[in-house]
Coordinates of all heavy atoms in Angstrom, one line a residue:
M1 N 69.7 4.1 174.7 CA 69.7 4.7 176.0 C 70.7 5.9 176.0 O 71.9 5.7 176.1 CB 70.1 3.7 177.1 CG 70.2 4.3 178.4 SD 70.7 3.0 179.6 CE 72.1 3.8 180.3
I2 N 70.2 7.1 175.8 CA 71.1 8.2 175.8 C 70.7 9.1 177.0 O 69.6 9.6 177.0 CB 71.0 9.0 174.5 CG1 71.4 8.1 173.3 CG2 71.8 10.3 174.6 CD1 71.3 8.8 172.0
N3 N 71.6 9.2 177.9 CA 71.3 10.0 179.1 C 71.9 11.4 178.8 O 73.1 11.5 178.5 CB 72.0 9.4 180.3 CG 71.3 8.1 180.7 OD1 70.1 7.9 180.5 ND2 72.1 7.1 181.1
T4 N 71.1 12.4 179.0 CA 71.6 13.7 178.8 C 71.8 14.4 180.2 O 71.2 14.0 181.2 CB 70.6 14.6 178.0 OG1 69.3 14.6 178.7 CG2 70.4 14.0 176.6
N5 N 72.6 15.4 180.2 CA 72.9 16.2 181.4 C 73.5 15.3 182.5 O 73.2 15.5 183.7 CB 71.7 16.9 181.9 CG 71.1 17.9 180.9 OD1 71.9 18.4 180.1 ND2 69.8 18.1 180.9
T6 N 74.3 14.3 182.2 CA 75.0 13.5 183.2 C 76.5 13.4 182.7 O 76.8 13.4 181.6 CB 74.3 12.2 183.4 OG1 75.1 11.4 184.3 CG2 74.3 11.4 182.1
L7 N 77.3 13.2 183.7 CA 78.7 13.0 183.4 C 79.1 11.5 183.4 O 80.2 11.1 183.1 CB 79.6 13.7 184.5 CG 79.5 15.3 184.4 CD1 80.3 15.9 185.6 CD2 80.0 15.8 183.1
R8 N 78.2 10.6 183.8 CA 78.5 9.2 183.9 C 78.5 8.5 182.5 O 79.1 7.5 182.3 CB 77.5 8.5 184.8 CG 77.6 8.9 186.2 CD 77.8 7.8 187.1 NE 77.9 8.2 188.5 CZ 79.1 8.2 189.2 NH1 80.1 7.7 188.6 NH2 79.1 8.6 190.4
Y9 N 77.8 9.2 181.5 CA 77.7 8.6 180.2 C 78.2 9.6 179.2 O 77.9 10.8 179.3 CB 76.2 8.2 179.9 CG 75.7 7.1 180.8 CD1 75.0 7.5 182.0 CD2 75.9 5.8 180.5 CE1 74.6 6.5 182.8 CE2 75.4 4.8 181.3 CZ 74.7 5.2 182.5 OH 74.3 4.2 183.3
D10 N 78.8 9.1 178.1 CA 79.3 10.0 177.1 C 78.2 10.3 176.1 O 77.1 9.8 176.2 CB 80.6 9.5 176.4 CG 80.3 8.2 175.7 OD1 79.2 7.7 175.6 OD2 81.3 7.7 175.1
I11 N 78.5 11.0 175.0 CA 77.4 11.4 174.1 C 76.9 10.3 173.2 O 75.9 10.4 172.6 CB 78.0 12.6 173.1 CG1 79.2 12.1 172.3 CG2 78.3 13.8 173.9 CD1 79.6 13.1 171.2
H12 N 77.6 9.1 173.2 CA 77.2 8.0 172.5 C 76.5 7.0 173.4 O 76.1 5.9 172.9 CB 78.4 7.3 171.9 CG 79.2 8.2 171.0 ND1 78.8 8.7 169.8 CD2 80.4 8.8 171.2 CE1 79.6 9.5 169.2 NE2 80.7 9.6 170.1
G13 N 76.3 7.2 174.6 CA 75.6 6.4 175.5 C 76.4 5.4 176.3 O 75.9 4.6 177.1
R14 N 77.7 5.4 176.1 CA 78.6 4.5 176.8 C 78.9 5.0 178.2 O 79.1 6.2 178.3 CB 79.9 4.3 176.0 CG 79.7 3.6 174.7 CD 81.0 3.3 174.0 NE 81.7 4.6 173.7 CZ 82.0 5.0 172.5 NH1 81.8 4.2 171.5 NH2 82.6 6.1 172.3
K15 N 79.0 4.1 179.1 CA 79.3 4.5 180.5 C 80.8 4.8 180.6 O 81.6 4.1 180.1 CB 78.9 3.4 181.5 CG 78.9 3.9 182.9 CD 78.3 2.9 183.8 CE 78.3 3.4 185.2 NZ 77.7 2.5 186.2
R16 N 81.1 6.0 181.2 CA 82.5 6.4 181.4 C 83.1 5.7 182.6 O 82.4 5.3 183.5 CB 82.5 7.9 181.6 CG 82.2 8.6 180.3 CD 82.4 10.1 180.5 NE 82.2 10.8 179.3 CZ 82.1 12.1 179.2 NH1 82.2 12.9 180.3 NH2 81.9 12.7 178.1
K17 N 84.4 5.6 182.6 CA 85.1 5.1 183.8 C 84.9 6.1 184.9 O 85.0 7.3 184.7 CB 86.6 4.9 183.5 CG 86.8 3.8 182.5 CD 88.2 3.6 182.2 CE 88.5 2.5 181.2 NZ 89.9 2.3 180.9
S18 N 84.7 5.6 186.1 CA 84.4 6.5 187.2 C 85.6 7.1 187.8 O 85.6 8.0 188.7 CB 83.6 5.8 188.3 OG 84.4 4.7 188.8
K19 N 86.8 6.7 187.4 CA 88.1 7.2 187.9 C 88.2 8.7 187.6 O 88.7 9.4 188.5 CB 89.3 6.4 187.4 CG 90.6 6.8 188.0 CD 91.7 5.8 187.7 CE 92.3 6.0 186.4 NZ 93.5 5.2 186.1
A20 N 87.8 9.1 186.5 CA 87.9 10.5 186.1 C 87.0 11.4 186.9 O 87.3 12.5 187.2 CB 87.6 10.7 184.6
L21 N 85.9 10.8 187.3 CA 84.9 11.6 188.1 C 85.2 11.7 189.6 O 84.8 12.6 190.3 CB 83.5 11.0 188.0 CG 83.0 10.9 186.5 CD1 81.6 10.2 186.5 CD2 82.7 12.3 186.0
N22 N 86.1 10.8 190.1 CA 86.4 10.8 191.5 C 87.7 11.5 191.9 O 88.1 11.4 193.0 CB 86.5 9.3 192.0 CG 85.1 8.6 191.9 OD1 84.1 9.3 192.0 ND2 85.1 7.3 191.8
K23 N 88.3 12.1 190.9 CA 89.6 12.8 191.2 C 89.3 14.0 192.2 O 88.2 14.7 192.0 CB 90.2 13.4 190.0 CG 90.9 12.3 189.2 CD 91.7 13.0 188.0 CE 92.4 11.9 187.2 NZ 93.1 12.5 186.1
C24 N 90.2 14.3 193.1 CA 90.0 15.4 194.0 C 90.2 16.7 193.2 O 91.0 16.8 192.4 CB 90.9 15.2 195.2 SG 92.6 15.3 194.8
K25 N 89.5 17.7 193.6 CA 89.6 19.0 193.0 C 90.6 19.8 193.7 O 90.8 19.7 194.9 CB 88.2 19.7 193.1 CG 87.1 19.0 192.3 CD 85.9 19.7 192.4 CE 84.8 19.1 191.6 NZ 83.5 19.7 191.7
R26 N 91.3 20.6 192.9 CA 92.4 21.5 193.5 C 91.7 22.6 194.3 O 90.7 23.1 193.9 CB 93.2 22.1 192.4 CG 94.1 21.2 191.7 CD 94.8 22.1 190.8 NE 95.8 21.6 189.9 CZ 96.4 22.3 189.0 NH1 96.1 23.6 189.0 NH2 97.3 21.9 188.2
P27 N 92.4 23.0 195.3 CA 91.8 24.2 196.1 C 92.0 25.4 195.2 O 93.0 25.6 194.5 CB 92.7 24.2 197.3 CG 93.9 23.5 197.0 CD 93.5 22.4 196.0
Q28 N 91.1 26.3 195.3 CA 91.2 27.5 194.5 C 92.3 28.5 195.1 O 92.4 28.5 196.3 CB 89.9 28.3 194.5 CG 88.8 27.6 193.6 CD 87.6 28.4 193.5 OE1 87.4 29.3 194.3 NE2 86.7 28.1 192.6
R29 N 93.0 29.1 194.2 CA 94.0 30.0 194.7 C 93.4 31.4 195.1 O 92.4 31.8 194.6 CB 95.0 30.3 193.6 CG 95.8 29.0 193.2 CD 96.8 29.3 192.1 NE 97.5 28.1 191.8 CZ 98.2 28.0 190.7 NH1 98.4 29.0 189.9 NH2 98.8 26.9 190.5
T30 N 94.0 32.0 196.0 CA 93.5 33.3 196.5 C 93.9 34.4 195.5 O 94.9 34.3 194.8 CB 94.1 33.6 197.9 OG1 95.5 33.7 197.8 CG2 93.6 32.6 198.9
F31 N 93.0 35.4 195.4 CA 93.2 36.5 194.5 C 94.3 37.4 195.0 O 94.3 37.8 196.2 CB 91.9 37.2 194.3 CG 92.1 38.4 193.4 CD1 92.2 38.3 192.0 CD2 92.1 39.7 193.9 CE1 92.3 39.3 191.2 CE2 92.2 40.8 193.1 CZ 92.3 40.6 191.7
K32 N 95.3 37.6 194.2 CA 96.4 38.6 194.6 C 96.3 39.8 193.7 O 96.3 39.7 192.5 CB 97.8 37.9 194.3 CG 98.9 38.7 194.9 CD 100.3 38.3 194.4 CE 100.6 36.8 194.8 NZ 102.0 36.4 194.4
S33 N 96.1 40.9 194.4 CA 95.9 42.2 193.6 C 97.2 42.7 193.1 O 98.3 42.5 193.7 CB 95.2 43.2 194.5 OG 96.0 43.5 195.6
M34 N 97.2 43.3 191.9 CA 98.4 43.8 191.3 C 98.3 45.3 191.3 O 97.2 45.9 191.4 CB 98.5 43.3 189.9 CG 98.7 41.8 189.8 SD 98.7 41.2 188.1 CE 100.2 41.9 187.6
E35 N 99.5 46.0 191.1 CA 99.5 47.4 191.1 C 98.9 47.9 189.7 O 99.0 47.2 188.7 CB 100.9 48.0 191.2 CG 101.8 47.6 190.1 CD 103.2 48.2 190.3 OE1 103.8 47.8 191.3 OE2 103.6 49.0 189.4
V36 N 98.2 49.0 189.8 CA 97.5 49.6 188.6 C 98.5 50.3 187.8 O 99.2 51.2 188.3 CB 96.4 50.5 189.0 CG1 95.7 51.1 187.8 CG2 95.4 49.7 189.9
R37 N 98.6 50.0 186.5 CA 99.5 50.7 185.6 C 98.7 51.5 184.6 O 97.5 51.2 184.3 CB 100.4 49.7 184.8 CG 101.3 48.9 185.7 CD 102.2 48.1 184.9 NE 103.1 47.3 185.7 CZ 103.9 46.4 185.3 NH1 103.9 46.1 184.0 NH2 104.7 45.7 186.1
S38 N 99.3 52.5 184.0 CA 98.6 53.4 183.1 C 98.5 52.6 181.8 O 99.3 51.8 181.4 CB 99.5 54.6 182.8 OG 98.9 55.4 181.8
V39 N 97.4 52.9 181.1 CA 97.1 52.2 179.8 C 98.1 52.7 178.7 O 98.6 52.0 177.9 CB 95.7 52.4 179.4 CG1 95.4 51.8 178.0 CG2 94.7 51.9 180.4
H40 N 98.4 54.0 178.8 CA 99.2 54.6 177.8 C 100.7 54.6 178.3 O 101.0 54.9 179.4 CB 98.8 56.1 177.5 CG 97.4 56.2 177.1 ND1 96.9 55.8 175.8 CD2 96.2 56.6 177.7 CE1 95.6 55.9 175.7 NE2 95.2 56.4 176.9
P41 N 101.6 54.3 177.4 CA 103.0 54.3 177.8 C 103.6 55.7 178.1 O 103.0 56.7 177.5 CB 103.8 53.7 176.6 CG 102.9 53.9 175.4 CD 101.5 53.9 176.0
N42 N 104.6 55.7 178.9 CA 105.2 57.0 179.2 C 106.3 57.3 178.2 O 107.3 56.6 178.2 CB 105.7 57.0 180.7 CG 106.1 58.3 181.1 OD1 106.0 59.3 180.4 ND2 106.7 58.4 182.3
Y43 N 106.1 58.3 177.4 CA 107.1 58.6 176.3 C 108.2 59.5 176.8 O 109.1 59.7 176.1 CB 106.4 59.2 175.1 CG 105.5 58.2 174.4 CD1 104.1 58.4 174.4 CD2 106.0 57.1 173.7 CE1 103.3 57.5 173.8 CE2 105.2 56.2 173.1 CZ 103.8 56.4 173.1 OH 103.0 55.5 172.5
E44 N 108.0 60.1 178.0 CA 109.0 61.0 178.5 C 110.4 60.3 178.8 O 111.4 60.9 178.7 CB 108.5 61.7 179.7 CG 107.3 62.6 179.4 CD 106.7 63.2 180.7 OE1 107.2 62.8 181.8 OE2 105.7 63.9 180.6
D45 N 110.3 59.0 179.2 CA 111.5 58.3 179.6 C 112.3 57.7 178.4 O 113.4 57.3 178.5 CB 111.1 57.2 180.5 CG 110.5 57.7 181.8 OD1 110.7 58.9 182.1 OD2 109.8 56.9 182.5
Q46 N 111.7 57.7 177.2 CA 112.3 57.1 176.1 C 113.3 58.1 175.4 O 113.2 59.3 175.5 CB 111.3 56.7 175.0 CG 110.4 55.6 175.5 CD 109.4 55.2 174.4 OE1 109.3 55.8 173.4 NE2 108.6 54.2 174.7
V47 N 114.3 57.5 174.8 CA 115.4 58.3 174.1 C 114.8 58.8 172.8 O 114.2 58.0 172.0 CB 116.6 57.4 173.9 CG1 117.7 58.1 173.2 CG2 117.1 56.8 175.2
Q48 N 115.1 60.0 172.5 CA 114.6 60.6 171.2 C 115.7 60.5 170.2 O 116.8 60.8 170.4 CB 114.3 62.1 171.5 CG 113.2 62.4 172.4 CD 111.8 62.3 171.8 OE1 111.7 62.5 170.6 NE2 110.8 62.0 172.6
Y49 N 115.3 59.9 169.0 CA 116.2 59.8 167.9 C 115.8 60.7 166.8 O 114.6 60.8 166.5 CB 116.3 58.3 167.4 CG 116.9 57.4 168.4 CD1 116.1 56.5 169.2 CD2 118.2 57.3 168.6 CE1 116.6 55.6 170.1 CE2 118.8 56.4 169.6 CZ 117.9 55.6 170.3 OH 118.5 54.7 171.2
K50 N 116.7 61.3 166.1 CA 116.4 62.1 165.0 C 116.1 61.3 163.7 O 116.7 60.3 163.5 CB 117.6 63.1 164.6 CG 117.8 64.1 165.7 CD 118.9 65.1 165.3 CE 119.1 66.1 166.3 NZ 120.2 67.1 165.9
S51 N 115.1 61.8 163.0 CA 114.7 61.0 161.8 C 115.6 61.5 160.6 O 116.3 62.5 160.7 CB 113.3 61.3 161.4 OG 113.0 62.6 161.2
A52 N 115.5 60.7 159.5 CA 116.3 61.1 158.3 C 115.8 62.3 157.7 O 114.6 62.6 157.7 CB 116.3 59.9 157.3
P53 N 116.7 63.1 157.1 CA 116.2 64.4 156.4 C 115.3 64.0 155.2 O 115.5 63.0 154.5 CB 117.5 65.1 156.0 CG 118.5 64.0 155.9 CD 118.1 63.0 157.0
L54 N 114.3 64.9 154.9 CA 113.5 64.6 153.8 C 114.1 65.2 152.5 O 114.2 66.4 152.3 CB 112.1 65.3 154.0 CG 111.3 64.8 155.2 CD1 110.1 65.6 155.4 CD2 110.9 63.3 155.0
T55 N 114.6 64.3 151.7 CA 115.2 64.7 150.4 C 114.5 64.0 149.3 O 114.0 62.9 149.5 CB 116.7 64.4 150.4 OG1 116.9 63.0 150.6 CG2 117.4 65.1 151.5
P56 N 114.5 64.6 148.1 CA 113.8 63.8 147.0 C 114.7 62.6 146.6 O 115.9 62.7 146.8 CB 113.8 64.9 145.9 CG 114.8 65.9 146.3 CD 114.9 65.9 147.8
P57 N 114.1 61.6 146.1 CA 114.9 60.4 145.7 C 115.8 60.7 144.5 O 115.5 61.6 143.7 CB 113.8 59.4 145.3 CG 112.6 60.2 144.9 CD 112.7 61.4 145.8
S58 N 116.9 60.1 144.5 CA 117.9 60.3 143.5 C 117.4 59.9 142.1 O 116.6 58.9 142.0 CB 119.2 59.6 143.8 OG 119.0 58.2 143.8
Q59 N 117.7 60.6 141.1 CA 117.3 60.3 139.7 C 118.2 59.2 139.1 O 119.3 59.6 138.7 CB 117.2 61.5 138.9 CG 116.3 62.6 139.4 CD 114.8 62.1 139.3 OE1 114.5 61.3 138.5 NE2 114.0 62.6 140.3
V60 N 117.8 58.0 139.0 CA 118.6 56.9 138.4 C 117.9 56.5 137.2 O 116.7 56.1 137.2 CB 118.7 55.7 139.4 CG1 119.5 54.6 138.8 CG2 119.4 56.2 140.7
T61 N 118.6 56.5 136.1 CA 118.0 56.0 134.8 C 118.4 54.6 134.6 O 119.6 54.2 134.7 CB 118.4 56.9 133.6 OG1 119.8 56.9 133.6 CG2 117.9 58.3 133.8
H62 N 117.5 53.7 134.2 CA 117.8 52.3 134.0 C 117.9 52.1 132.5 O 117.1 52.7 131.7 CB 116.7 51.4 134.5 CG 116.6 51.5 136.0 ND1 117.5 50.9 136.9 CD2 115.7 52.1 136.8 CE1 117.1 51.2 138.1 NE2 116.0 51.9 138.1
D63 N 118.8 51.4 132.0 CA 119.0 51.1 130.6 C 118.1 49.9 130.2 O 118.3 48.8 130.6 CB 120.5 50.7 130.4 CG 120.8 50.6 128.9 OD1 120.0 51.1 128.1 OD2 121.7 49.9 128.6
D64 N 117.0 50.2 129.5 CA 116.1 49.2 129.0 C 116.2 48.9 127.5 O 115.4 48.3 126.9 CB 114.7 49.6 129.3 CG 114.4 49.7 130.8 OD1 115.1 49.0 131.5 OD2 113.4 50.4 131.1
S65 N 117.3 49.3 126.9 CA 117.5 49.1 125.5 C 117.6 47.6 125.1 O 117.2 47.2 124.0 CB 118.7 49.9 125.0 OG 119.9 49.4 125.6
Y66 N 118.2 46.8 126.0 CA 118.3 45.4 125.8 C 117.0 44.7 125.6 O 116.8 43.7 124.9 CB 119.2 44.7 126.8 CG 118.5 44.6 128.2 CD1 117.9 43.5 128.6 CD2 118.6 45.7 129.1 CE1 117.3 43.4 129.8 CE2 118.0 45.6 130.3 CZ 117.3 44.4 130.7 OH 116.7 44.3 131.9
K67 N 116.0 45.2 126.3 CA 114.6 44.6 126.3 C 114.0 44.8 124.9 O 113.4 43.9 124.3 CB 113.7 45.2 127.3 CG 114.1 44.8 128.7 CD 113.1 45.5 129.7 CE 113.5 45.2 131.2 NZ 112.6 45.8 132.1
K68 N 114.2 46.0 124.3 CA 113.6 46.3 123.0 C 114.4 45.5 121.9 O 113.8 45.0 121.0 CB 113.8 47.8 122.7 CG 112.9 48.6 123.5 CD 113.0 50.1 123.2 CE 112.1 50.9 124.1 NZ 112.2 52.3 123.8
E69 N 115.7 45.3 122.1 CA 116.4 44.5 121.2 C 116.0 43.1 121.1 O 115.8 42.5 120.1 CB 117.9 44.6 121.5 CG 118.8 43.9 120.6 CD 120.3 44.0 121.0 OE1 120.6 45.1 121.6 OE2 121.1 43.1 120.7
I70 N 115.8 42.5 122.3 CA 115.4 41.0 122.4 C 114.0 40.9 122.0 O 113.6 39.9 121.2 CB 115.6 40.5 123.8 CG1 117.1 40.5 124.1 CG2 115.0 39.1 124.0 CD1 117.5 40.1 125.5
S71 N 113.1 41.8 122.3 CA 111.7 41.6 122.0 C 111.4 41.8 120.5 O 110.3 41.4 120.0 CB 110.8 42.6 122.8 OG 111.1 43.9 122.5
S72 N 112.3 42.4 119.8 CA 112.1 42.6 118.3 C 112.3 41.3 117.6 O 111.9 41.2 116.5 CB 113.1 43.6 117.8 OG 114.4 43.1 117.9
K73 N 112.8 40.3 118.3 CA 113.0 38.9 117.6 C 111.8 38.0 117.8 O 111.8 36.9 117.4 CB 114.2 38.3 118.2 CG 115.5 39.0 118.0 CD 116.7 38.3 118.6 CE 117.9 39.1 118.5 NZ 119.0 38.5 119.2
Y74 N 110.7 38.5 118.6 CA 109.6 37.7 118.9 C 108.3 38.4 118.6 O 108.2 39.6 118.5 CB 109.6 37.3 120.4 CG 110.8 36.5 120.8 CD1 111.9 37.0 121.3 CD2 110.8 35.1 120.7 CE1 113.0 36.3 121.7 CE2 111.8 34.3 121.0 CZ 112.9 34.9 121.6 OH 114.0 34.2 121.9
T75 N 107.2 37.6 118.4 CA 105.9 38.1 118.1 C 104.9 37.5 119.1 O 105.0 36.3 119.5 CB 105.4 37.7 116.7 OG1 106.4 38.2 115.8 CG2 104.1 38.2 116.4
V76 N 103.9 38.3 119.6 CA 102.9 37.8 120.5 C 101.6 37.6 119.7 O 101.2 38.5 119.0 CB 102.7 38.8 121.6 CG1 101.5 38.3 122.5 CG2 103.9 39.0 122.4
S77 N 101.1 36.4 119.8 CA 99.8 36.1 119.0 C 98.9 35.2 119.9 O 99.3 34.6 120.9 CB 100.2 35.4 117.7 OG 100.7 34.1 118.0
I78 N 97.7 35.0 119.4 CA 96.8 34.1 120.0 C 97.1 32.6 119.7 O 97.3 32.3 118.5 CB 95.3 34.4 119.6 CG1 95.0 35.9 120.0 CG2 94.3 33.5 120.2 CD1 93.7 36.3 119.6
A79 N 97.1 31.8 120.7 CA 97.4 30.4 120.5 C 96.2 29.7 119.7 O 95.1 30.2 119.8 CB 97.6 29.7 121.8
F80 N 96.5 28.6 119.0 CA 95.5 27.9 118.2 C 94.4 27.4 119.2 O 94.7 26.6 120.1 CB 96.1 26.8 117.4 CG 95.1 25.9 116.7 CD1 94.4 26.4 115.7 CD2 94.9 24.6 117.2 CE1 93.5 25.6 115.0 CE2 94.0 23.8 116.5 CZ 93.3 24.3 115.5
N81 N 93.1 27.7 118.9 CA 92.0 27.2 119.6 C 92.0 27.4 121.1 O 91.5 26.7 121.9 CB 91.9 25.6 119.3 CG 90.5 25.1 119.6 OD1 89.5 25.9 119.7 ND2 90.3 23.9 119.7
K82 N 92.7 28.5 121.5 CA 92.8 28.8 122.9 C 92.5 30.3 123.1 O 92.5 31.1 122.1 CB 94.2 28.5 123.5 CG 94.7 27.1 123.3 CD 94.0 26.2 124.3 CE 94.7 24.8 124.2 NZ 93.8 23.8 123.8
G83 N 92.3 30.7 124.3 CA 92.1 32.2 124.6 C 93.4 32.9 125.0 O 93.4 34.1 125.1
A84 N 94.4 32.1 125.3 CA 95.6 32.7 125.8 C 96.5 33.2 124.7 O 96.3 32.9 123.5 CB 96.4 31.7 126.7
Y85 N 97.5 34.0 125.1 CA 98.5 34.5 124.1 C 99.8 33.7 124.2 O 100.1 33.1 125.3 CB 98.8 36.0 124.3 CG 97.7 36.9 124.0 CD1 96.7 37.2 124.9 CD2 97.6 37.4 122.7 CE1 95.7 38.1 124.6 CE2 96.5 38.2 122.3 CZ 95.6 38.5 123.3 OH 94.5 39.4 122.9
E86 N 100.6 33.6 123.2 CA 101.8 32.9 123.2 C 102.9 33.8 122.5 O 102.6 34.5 121.6 CB 101.8 31.5 122.6 CG 101.4 31.5 121.1 CD 101.3 30.1 120.6 OE1 101.7 29.1 121.3 OE2 100.9 30.0 119.5
V87 N 104.1 33.6 122.9 CA 105.2 34.3 122.3 C 105.9 33.4 121.3 O 106.3 32.3 121.6 CB 106.3 34.7 123.4 CG1 107.4 35.4 122.8 CG2 105.6 35.6 124.4
I88 N 106.0 33.9 120.1 CA 106.5 33.0 119.0 C 107.8 33.7 118.4 O 107.7 34.9 118.1 CB 105.5 32.9 117.9 CG1 104.2 32.2 118.5 CG2 106.0 32.0 116.7 CD1 103.1 32.2 117.6
P89 N 108.8 32.9 118.1 CA 110.0 33.5 117.5 C 109.6 33.9 116.0 O 108.7 33.4 115.4 CB 111.0 32.4 117.5 CG 110.6 31.4 118.4 CD 109.1 31.6 118.6
D90 N 110.4 34.8 115.4 CA 110.1 35.3 114.1 C 110.2 34.2 113.0 O 109.5 34.3 112.0 CB 111.0 36.5 113.7 CG 110.6 37.8 114.4 OD1 109.4 37.8 114.8 OD2 111.4 38.7 114.4
E91 N 111.0 33.2 113.3 CA 111.2 32.2 112.2 C 110.0 31.2 112.2 O 109.8 30.5 111.3 CB 112.5 31.4 112.4 CG 112.6 30.7 113.8 CD 113.4 31.5 114.7 OE1 113.8 32.7 114.4 OE2 113.7 31.0 115.8
N92 N 109.1 31.3 113.2 CA 107.9 30.4 113.3 C 106.6 31.2 113.1 O 105.5 30.6 113.4 CB 107.9 29.6 114.6 CG 109.0 28.7 114.8 OD1 109.5 28.2 113.8 ND2 109.4 28.4 116.0
I93 N 106.6 32.3 112.5 CA 105.4 33.1 112.3 C 104.5 32.4 111.4 O 103.3 32.5 111.5 CB 105.8 34.6 111.9 CG1 106.4 35.3 113.0 CG2 104.5 35.3 111.4 CD1 106.8 36.7 112.6
K94 N 105.0 31.7 110.4 CA 104.1 31.0 109.4 C 103.3 29.9 110.1 O 102.3 29.5 109.5 CB 105.0 30.5 108.3 CG 106.0 29.4 108.8 CD 106.9 29.0 107.6 CE 108.0 28.1 108.2 NZ 109.0 27.8 107.2
H95 N 103.6 29.5 111.3 CA 102.9 28.4 111.9 C 101.8 28.9 112.9 O 101.2 28.2 113.7 CB 103.8 27.5 112.7 CG 104.8 26.8 111.8 ND1 104.4 25.9 110.8 CD2 106.1 26.9 111.7 CE1 105.5 25.5 110.2 NE2 106.6 26.1 110.7
I96 N 101.6 30.3 113.0 CA 100.6 30.8 113.9 C 99.2 30.3 113.6 O 98.8 30.4 112.4 CB 100.6 32.4 113.9 CG1 101.9 32.9 114.4 CG2 99.5 33.0 114.7 CD1 102.1 34.4 114.4
G97 N 98.5 29.8 114.5 CA 97.1 29.4 114.4 C 96.9 28.1 113.7 O 95.8 27.7 113.3
K98 N 98.0 27.3 113.6 CA 97.9 26.0 113.0 C 98.0 24.9 114.0 O 98.6 25.0 115.0 CB 99.0 25.8 111.9 CG 98.8 26.6 110.7 CD 99.8 26.4 109.7 CE 99.7 27.3 108.5 NZ 100.6 27.0 107.5

């Protein structure tokens, strides 16, 4: 027994408690009109701040020599039976692919 379009039965066919249906309804509030505001903000009242001057970025050189020194001690090769690469120290080069 599934009753459709009724509030006395839920979607599973069970009868609902009638306490929820008998609650008094709140009276509707009256509409209070508000003043009409512009959609766009008024920029004339805002404080104007100066922006930073356009200058080229400063030339800073980074010392990357330590990277070359450390990377000279390692070798990059394909791992055994895999598609990925691995970093191997120079003393273990003889074990590549085993």
Side-chain angles (χ1 to χ4, degrees):
M1 175 180 129
I2 297 177
N3 294 323
T4 58
N5 299 331
T6 180
L7 294 175
R8 295 236 179 250
Y9 296 92
D10 64 1
I11 60 171
H12 304 290
R14 293 185 297 239
K15 191 169 183 182
R16 291 186 176 167
K17 294 182 181 178
S18 61
K19 186 166 81 171
L21 298 174
N22 292 335
K23 284 186 178 178
C24 62
K25 295 181 180 178
R26 289 185 181 177
Q28 288 186 345
R29 297 181 181 168
T30 58
F31 178 73
K32 188 192 298 184
S33 62
M34 298 175 65
E35 66 180 60
V36 178
R37 294 184 181 175
S38 174
V39 177
H40 303 288
N42 188 2
Y43 293 111
E44 295 172 357
D45 298 337
Q46 292 182 354
V47 179
Q48 298 276 336
Y49 294 103
K50 292 185 178 180
S51 60
L54 296 176
T55 58
S58 61
Q59 299 294 330
V60 178
T61 57
H62 296 286
D63 185 24
D64 291 339
S65 61
Y66 68 96
K67 292 180 182 178
K68 291 181 182 179
E69 181 182 330
I70 293 174
S71 65
S72 65
K73 299 177 186 175
Y74 295 95
T75 302
V76 177
S77 69
I78 298 175
F80 172 71
N81 201 15
K82 304 281 188 246
Y85 290 91
E86 63 182 350
V87 178
I88 301 173
D90 281 344
E91 58 265 5
N92 293 333
I93 291 180
K94 60 186 174 185
H95 298 296
I96 292 176
K98 291 183 181 180

